[in-house]
Amino acid sequence: MSTRTASAVASPNIALVKYWGNRDDALRLPANGSISMTLGGLETRTTVDLDPLLDQDTLLLNGAPASPDSHRRVRQHLDLICDLAGLRARARVVSQANFPSGAGIASSASAFAALTLAACAAAGLDFEPRTLSRLARRGSGSAARSIFGGFVEWHTADSDDGSFAEPLAPPDHWPLVDLVAIVSRDPKTVGSTPGHALAQTSPLQEARLADAPRRLAECRRAILTRDFDRLAAVAEQDSNLMHAVMQTSVPPLVYWAPQTLTVMQSIATWRAGSLPVFYTVDAGPNVHCLCPAELASEVTSRLHGLPGVLDILACPPGQAAHLI
Ligand code: PMV
């Protein structure tokens, strides 16, 4: 085999009904289904060069050599894909995101979606999106959703075959904007992989899971009918439920900074005053503020007026991951 190269680009996503906890950690089979919006404007570009003559991998992630933990995760993912292709090869991987990683902007989602696409193409595997989604899931759960653009649902299942994402609605279905209020650029201290493993230690996780089918149905309906108030109510409740589980885990996980709460409370006040905007927060301190596109400049200027907001990233619904 000679060297084989491919490049792909993928965007992160923001979960509106969130995934927290696995029913199978090794296969990353989620404890509950989830729904997200792919984030346009933010992207990870990854090139994979599979070379049987290399005696070790060289992985350059965001301009720096990969940490031992990232190296192990990427190698494990490449092994999974190379095994499917019957290949044995080390790799040169160069991956670059245009947004801060590890701060609750789902950098692992776009990273593993782009890696899956590029590695499969480099290995000569021509898979349909559903299979790519299942494979991306093995690298990082939320990456399963980043294979698709627009509004996306990822199904939970008891086996590898059944847990994949699929599109609910294309990017142009609903011109919403996610204004990501950056209150910290520091990488989080506890990553989502160890975080998922703690979910079961919270007495609230069982109640959160039992109610998940209702929230999923509510969110699906809100998206399909473009019902902003319905989406706002379910997404904020879902985010609060996930953080309640995190904060009551043993040991507790608190991803919020004081400024996170300032933004959340301001958004609640603005919505009560008839400005349509809602918040959702992932495993980090930054706050995703969603509003109709025509109100983006009004919400942006209000966010800039809050103490501790360092920057704002504006993301419309984004496109599916693709080869470049
Ligand atoms: O894909 P992971 O393991 O990084 O987990 C993502 C977890 C959340 O971002 C908090 C929620 C979600 O569904 O994206």
Side-chain angles (χ1 to χ4, degrees), residues 13 15 17-20 28 34 73 106 108 140-143 145 192-193 196 242 246 282-283:
N13 62 78
V17 171
K18 296 181 187 296
Y19 145 59
W20 194 247
R28 291 184 199 270
S34 53
R73 250 175 109 174
S108 65
S140 176
S142 54
R145 298 185 307 240
S192 43
T193 299
H196 290 297
M242 182 184 74
M246 291 163 159
D282 272 352

PDB file of all heavy atoms in Angstrom, residues 13 15 17-20 28 34 73 106 108 140-143 145 192-193 196 242 246 282-283, ligand 1:
ATOM      1  N   ASN A  13     -21.652  21.156  17.138  1.00  0.00           N
ATOM      2  CA  ASN A  13     -23.105  21.327  17.235  1.00  0.00           C
ATOM      3  C   ASN A  13     -23.461  21.710  18.664  1.00  0.00           C
ATOM      4  O   ASN A  13     -22.692  21.462  19.591  1.00  0.00           O
ATOM      5  CB  ASN A  13     -23.826  20.051  16.801  1.00  0.00           C
ATOM      6  CG  ASN A  13     -23.498  18.850  17.687  1.00  0.00           C
ATOM      7  OD1 ASN A  13     -24.033  18.726  18.804  1.00  0.00           O
ATOM      8  ND2 ASN A  13     -22.611  17.961  17.232  1.00  0.00           N
ATOM      9  N   ALA A  15     -26.283  20.986  21.521  1.00  0.00           N
ATOM     10  CA  ALA A  15     -27.406  20.097  21.848  1.00  0.00           C
ATOM     11  C   ALA A  15     -28.519  20.908  22.492  1.00  0.00           C
ATOM     12  O   ALA A  15     -28.287  21.704  23.402  1.00  0.00           O
ATOM     13  CB  ALA A  15     -26.931  19.012  22.792  1.00  0.00           C
ATOM     14  N   VAL A  17     -31.530  19.101  23.237  1.00  0.00           N
ATOM     15  CA  VAL A  17     -31.805  18.057  24.242  1.00  0.00           C
ATOM     16  C   VAL A  17     -30.486  17.320  24.357  1.00  0.00           C
ATOM     17  O   VAL A  17     -29.963  16.818  23.359  1.00  0.00           O
ATOM     18  CB  VAL A  17     -32.942  17.113  23.813  1.00  0.00           C
ATOM     19  CG1 VAL A  17     -33.051  15.920  24.776  1.00  0.00           C
ATOM     20  CG2 VAL A  17     -34.262  17.861  23.772  1.00  0.00           C
ATOM     21  N   LYS A  18     -29.919  17.292  25.553  1.00  0.00           N
ATOM     22  CA  LYS A  18     -28.526  16.903  25.694  1.00  0.00           C
ATOM     23  C   LYS A  18     -28.305  15.440  26.039  1.00  0.00           C
ATOM     24  O   LYS A  18     -29.149  14.802  26.659  1.00  0.00           O
ATOM     25  CB  LYS A  18     -27.861  17.781  26.761  1.00  0.00           C
ATOM     26  CG  LYS A  18     -27.847  19.244  26.325  1.00  0.00           C
ATOM     27  CD  LYS A  18     -27.180  20.125  27.334  1.00  0.00           C
ATOM     28  CE  LYS A  18     -27.319  21.591  26.987  1.00  0.00           C
ATOM     29  NZ  LYS A  18     -26.680  22.003  25.748  1.00  0.00           N
ATOM     30  N   TYR A  19     -27.131  14.977  25.661  1.00  0.00           N
ATOM     31  CA  TYR A  19     -26.633  13.637  25.968  1.00  0.00           C
ATOM     32  C   TYR A  19     -25.756  13.753  27.213  1.00  0.00           C
ATOM     33  O   TYR A  19     -24.814  14.544  27.238  1.00  0.00           O
ATOM     34  CB  TYR A  19     -25.840  13.179  24.740  1.00  0.00           C
ATOM     35  CG  TYR A  19     -24.617  12.316  24.940  1.00  0.00           C
ATOM     36  CD1 TYR A  19     -24.709  11.078  25.585  1.00  0.00           C
ATOM     37  CD2 TYR A  19     -23.383  12.714  24.423  1.00  0.00           C
ATOM     38  CE1 TYR A  19     -23.563  10.277  25.725  1.00  0.00           C
ATOM     39  CE2 TYR A  19     -22.252  11.921  24.542  1.00  0.00           C
ATOM     40  CZ  TYR A  19     -22.349  10.708  25.203  1.00  0.00           C
ATOM     41  OH  TYR A  19     -21.240   9.927  25.328  1.00  0.00           O
ATOM     42  N   TRP A  20     -26.088  13.000  28.263  1.00  0.00           N
ATOM     43  CA  TRP A  20     -25.185  12.984  29.427  1.00  0.00           C
ATOM     44  C   TRP A  20     -25.293  11.611  30.080  1.00  0.00           C
ATOM     45  O   TRP A  20     -26.334  11.249  30.614  1.00  0.00           O
ATOM     46  CB  TRP A  20     -25.510  14.097  30.424  1.00  0.00           C
ATOM     47  CG  TRP A  20     -24.403  14.309  31.422  1.00  0.00           C
ATOM     48  CD1 TRP A  20     -24.434  14.067  32.770  1.00  0.00           C
ATOM     49  CD2 TRP A  20     -23.062  14.768  31.131  1.00  0.00           C
ATOM     50  NE1 TRP A  20     -23.209  14.354  33.337  1.00  0.00           N
ATOM     51  CE2 TRP A  20     -22.354  14.790  32.341  1.00  0.00           C
ATOM     52  CE3 TRP A  20     -22.406  15.161  29.946  1.00  0.00           C
ATOM     53  CZ2 TRP A  20     -21.012  15.186  32.429  1.00  0.00           C
ATOM     54  CZ3 TRP A  20     -21.076  15.559  30.040  1.00  0.00           C
ATOM     55  CH2 TRP A  20     -20.399  15.572  31.265  1.00  0.00           C
ATOM     56  N   ARG A  28     -19.824   3.925  23.593  1.00  0.00           N
ATOM     57  CA  ARG A  28     -20.472   5.249  23.652  1.00  0.00           C
ATOM     58  C   ARG A  28     -21.922   5.158  23.168  1.00  0.00           C
ATOM     59  O   ARG A  28     -22.351   5.919  22.275  1.00  0.00           O
ATOM     60  CB  ARG A  28     -19.693   6.299  22.848  1.00  0.00           C
ATOM     61  CG  ARG A  28     -18.343   6.653  23.477  1.00  0.00           C
ATOM     62  CD  ARG A  28     -17.651   7.771  22.715  1.00  0.00           C
ATOM     63  NE  ARG A  28     -16.234   7.795  23.024  1.00  0.00           N
ATOM     64  CZ  ARG A  28     -15.685   8.497  24.023  1.00  0.00           C
ATOM     65  NH1 ARG A  28     -16.421   9.253  24.792  1.00  0.00           N
ATOM     66  NH2 ARG A  28     -14.382   8.443  24.228  1.00  0.00           N
ATOM     67  N   SER A  34     -30.748  12.496  21.786  1.00  0.00           N
ATOM     68  CA  SER A  34     -30.467  13.928  21.873  1.00  0.00           C
ATOM     69  C   SER A  34     -30.774  14.603  20.534  1.00  0.00           C
ATOM     70  O   SER A  34     -30.860  13.928  19.494  1.00  0.00           O
ATOM     71  CB  SER A  34     -29.011  14.154  22.288  1.00  0.00           C
ATOM     72  OG  SER A  34     -28.133  13.450  21.433  1.00  0.00           O
ATOM     73  N   ARG A  73      -6.636   8.496  22.078  1.00  0.00           N
ATOM     74  CA  ARG A  73      -8.009   8.510  21.550  1.00  0.00           C
ATOM     75  C   ARG A  73      -8.029   8.506  20.021  1.00  0.00           C
ATOM     76  O   ARG A  73      -8.837   7.816  19.395  1.00  0.00           O
ATOM     77  CB  ARG A  73      -8.728   9.763  22.046  1.00  0.00           C
ATOM     78  CG  ARG A  73      -9.800   9.425  23.051  1.00  0.00           C
ATOM     79  CD  ARG A  73     -10.402  10.656  23.624  1.00  0.00           C
ATOM     80  NE  ARG A  73     -11.769  10.874  23.143  1.00  0.00           N
ATOM     81  CZ  ARG A  73     -12.549  11.852  23.599  1.00  0.00           C
ATOM     82  NH1 ARG A  73     -12.116  12.664  24.523  1.00  0.00           N
ATOM     83  NH2 ARG A  73     -13.775  12.008  23.122  1.00  0.00           N
ATOM     84  N   ALA A 106     -18.093  21.983  22.130  1.00  0.00           N
ATOM     85  CA  ALA A 106     -18.147  20.707  21.431  1.00  0.00           C
ATOM     86  C   ALA A 106     -17.028  20.530  20.419  1.00  0.00           C
ATOM     87  O   ALA A 106     -17.259  20.092  19.298  1.00  0.00           O
ATOM     88  CB  ALA A 106     -19.509  20.544  20.755  1.00  0.00           C
ATOM     89  N   SER A 108     -14.771  18.371  20.433  1.00  0.00           N
ATOM     90  CA  SER A 108     -14.550  16.954  20.109  1.00  0.00           C
ATOM     91  C   SER A 108     -15.574  16.475  19.083  1.00  0.00           C
ATOM     92  O   SER A 108     -15.312  15.534  18.343  1.00  0.00           O
ATOM     93  CB  SER A 108     -14.582  16.088  21.369  1.00  0.00           C
ATOM     94  OG  SER A 108     -15.856  16.113  21.945  1.00  0.00           O
ATOM     95  N   SER A 140     -16.349  10.289  19.893  1.00  0.00           N
ATOM     96  CA  SER A 140     -16.949  11.234  20.844  1.00  0.00           C
ATOM     97  C   SER A 140     -18.437  11.183  20.537  1.00  0.00           C
ATOM     98  O   SER A 140     -18.826  11.345  19.368  1.00  0.00           O
ATOM     99  CB  SER A 140     -16.392  12.631  20.582  1.00  0.00           C
ATOM    100  OG  SER A 140     -17.023  13.570  21.408  1.00  0.00           O
ATOM    101  N   GLY A 141     -19.260  10.964  21.565  1.00  0.00           N
ATOM    102  CA  GLY A 141     -20.688  10.741  21.307  1.00  0.00           C
ATOM    103  C   GLY A 141     -21.306  11.818  20.433  1.00  0.00           C
ATOM    104  O   GLY A 141     -21.941  11.527  19.409  1.00  0.00           O
ATOM    105  N   SER A 142     -21.084  13.081  20.815  1.00  0.00           N
ATOM    106  CA  SER A 142     -21.745  14.165  20.098  1.00  0.00           C
ATOM    107  C   SER A 142     -21.251  14.302  18.655  1.00  0.00           C
ATOM    108  O   SER A 142     -21.903  14.957  17.837  1.00  0.00           O
ATOM    109  CB  SER A 142     -21.548  15.481  20.850  1.00  0.00           C
ATOM    110  OG  SER A 142     -20.164  15.700  21.088  1.00  0.00           O
ATOM    111  N   ALA A 143     -20.124  13.669  18.309  1.00  0.00           N
ATOM    112  CA  ALA A 143     -19.631  13.694  16.922  1.00  0.00           C
ATOM    113  C   ALA A 143     -20.598  12.978  15.982  1.00  0.00           C
ATOM    114  O   ALA A 143     -20.645  13.279  14.787  1.00  0.00           O
ATOM    115  CB  ALA A 143     -18.242  13.058  16.843  1.00  0.00           C
ATOM    116  N   ARG A 145     -23.627  13.445  15.775  1.00  0.00           N
ATOM    117  CA  ARG A 145     -24.572  14.446  15.237  1.00  0.00           C
ATOM    118  C   ARG A 145     -23.900  15.393  14.257  1.00  0.00           C
ATOM    119  O   ARG A 145     -24.563  15.970  13.400  1.00  0.00           O
ATOM    120  CB  ARG A 145     -25.193  15.253  16.396  1.00  0.00           C
ATOM    121  CG  ARG A 145     -26.008  14.403  17.380  1.00  0.00           C
ATOM    122  CD  ARG A 145     -26.692  15.286  18.424  1.00  0.00           C
ATOM    123  NE  ARG A 145     -25.737  16.155  19.076  1.00  0.00           N
ATOM    124  CZ  ARG A 145     -25.462  16.171  20.402  1.00  0.00           C
ATOM    125  NH1 ARG A 145     -26.116  15.370  21.218  1.00  0.00           N
ATOM    126  NH2 ARG A 145     -24.566  16.991  20.879  1.00  0.00           N
ATOM    127  N   SER A 192     -15.586  15.588  29.047  1.00  0.00           N
ATOM    128  CA  SER A 192     -16.901  14.943  29.064  1.00  0.00           C
ATOM    129  C   SER A 192     -16.808  13.425  29.188  1.00  0.00           C
ATOM    130  O   SER A 192     -17.722  12.817  29.754  1.00  0.00           O
ATOM    131  CB  SER A 192     -17.748  15.376  27.874  1.00  0.00           C
ATOM    132  OG  SER A 192     -16.989  15.395  26.722  1.00  0.00           O
ATOM    133  N   THR A 193     -15.725  12.793  28.729  1.00  0.00           N
ATOM    134  CA  THR A 193     -15.654  11.324  28.849  1.00  0.00           C
ATOM    135  C   THR A 193     -15.695  10.892  30.325  1.00  0.00           C
ATOM    136  O   THR A 193     -16.565  10.096  30.692  1.00  0.00           O
ATOM    137  CB  THR A 193     -14.423  10.770  28.102  1.00  0.00           C
ATOM    138  OG1 THR A 193     -14.563  11.128  26.731  1.00  0.00           O
ATOM    139  CG2 THR A 193     -14.315   9.264  28.213  1.00  0.00           C
ATOM    140  N   HIS A 196     -19.287  11.738  31.740  1.00  0.00           N
ATOM    141  CA  HIS A 196     -20.385  10.790  31.451  1.00  0.00           C
ATOM    142  C   HIS A 196     -20.385   9.642  32.459  1.00  0.00           C
ATOM    143  O   HIS A 196     -21.436   9.165  32.880  1.00  0.00           O
ATOM    144  CB  HIS A 196     -20.239  10.205  30.044  1.00  0.00           C
ATOM    145  CG  HIS A 196     -20.511  11.190  28.949  1.00  0.00           C
ATOM    146  ND1 HIS A 196     -21.742  11.785  28.769  1.00  0.00           N
ATOM    147  CD2 HIS A 196     -19.725  11.698  27.974  1.00  0.00           C
ATOM    148  CE1 HIS A 196     -21.684  12.612  27.733  1.00  0.00           C
ATOM    149  NE2 HIS A 196     -20.469  12.578  27.232  1.00  0.00           N
ATOM    150  N   MET A 242     -29.532  18.745  32.975  1.00  0.00           N
ATOM    151  CA  MET A 242     -28.197  18.144  32.845  1.00  0.00           C
ATOM    152  C   MET A 242     -27.242  18.729  33.887  1.00  0.00           C
ATOM    153  O   MET A 242     -26.475  17.988  34.521  1.00  0.00           O
ATOM    154  CB  MET A 242     -27.626  18.347  31.444  1.00  0.00           C
ATOM    155  CG  MET A 242     -26.256  17.694  31.284  1.00  0.00           C
ATOM    156  SD  MET A 242     -25.496  17.998  29.681  1.00  0.00           S
ATOM    157  CE  MET A 242     -24.999  19.702  29.847  1.00  0.00           C
ATOM    158  N   MET A 246     -25.070  16.989  36.836  1.00  0.00           N
ATOM    159  CA  MET A 246     -23.615  17.204  36.986  1.00  0.00           C
ATOM    160  C   MET A 246     -23.283  17.686  38.396  1.00  0.00           C
ATOM    161  O   MET A 246     -22.358  17.191  39.046  1.00  0.00           O
ATOM    162  CB  MET A 246     -23.131  18.252  35.976  1.00  0.00           C
ATOM    163  CG  MET A 246     -23.163  17.792  34.531  1.00  0.00           C
ATOM    164  SD  MET A 246     -23.049  19.237  33.442  1.00  0.00           S
ATOM    165  CE  MET A 246     -22.469  18.472  31.928  1.00  0.00           C
ATOM    166  N   ASP A 282     -23.341  23.770  27.635  1.00  0.00           N
ATOM    167  CA  ASP A 282     -22.757  22.427  27.561  1.00  0.00           C
ATOM    168  C   ASP A 282     -21.778  22.206  28.723  1.00  0.00           C
ATOM    169  O   ASP A 282     -21.881  22.858  29.743  1.00  0.00           O
ATOM    170  CB  ASP A 282     -22.095  22.216  26.192  1.00  0.00           C
ATOM    171  CG  ASP A 282     -23.084  21.670  25.159  1.00  0.00           C
ATOM    172  OD1 ASP A 282     -24.211  21.321  25.539  1.00  0.00           O
ATOM    173  OD2 ASP A 282     -22.714  21.590  23.976  1.00  0.00           O
ATOM    174  N   ALA A 283     -20.815  21.305  28.533  1.00  0.00           N
ATOM    175  CA  ALA A 283     -19.884  20.985  29.625  1.00  0.00           C
ATOM    176  C   ALA A 283     -18.759  22.017  29.680  1.00  0.00           C
ATOM    177  O   ALA A 283     -17.582  21.715  29.434  1.00  0.00           O
ATOM    178  CB  ALA A 283     -19.337  19.580  29.431  1.00  0.00           C
TER     179      ALA A 283
HETATM  180  O1  PMV B   1     -19.530  14.016  22.948  1.00  0.00           O
HETATM  181  P1  PMV B   1     -19.057  14.292  24.323  1.00  0.00           P
HETATM  182  O2  PMV B   1     -18.550  13.071  25.016  1.00  0.00           O
HETATM  183  O3  PMV B   1     -18.078  15.435  24.339  1.00  0.00           O
HETATM  184  O4  PMV B   1     -20.312  14.753  25.224  1.00  0.00           O
HETATM  185  C1  PMV B   1     -21.045  15.907  24.945  1.00  0.00           C
HETATM  186  C2  PMV B   1     -21.845  16.278  26.123  1.00  0.00           C
HETATM  187  C3  PMV B   1     -22.589  17.592  26.042  1.00  0.00           C
HETATM  188  O5  PMV B   1     -21.961  18.483  25.142  1.00  0.00           O
HETATM  189  C4  PMV B   1     -22.580  18.228  27.421  1.00  0.00           C
HETATM  190  C5  PMV B   1     -24.039  17.393  25.628  1.00  0.00           C
HETATM  191  C6  PMV B   1     -24.284  17.066  24.181  1.00  0.00           C
HETATM  192  O6  PMV B   1     -25.263  16.350  23.922  1.00  0.00           O
HETATM  193  O7  PMV B   1     -23.552  17.551  23.303  1.00  0.00           O
END
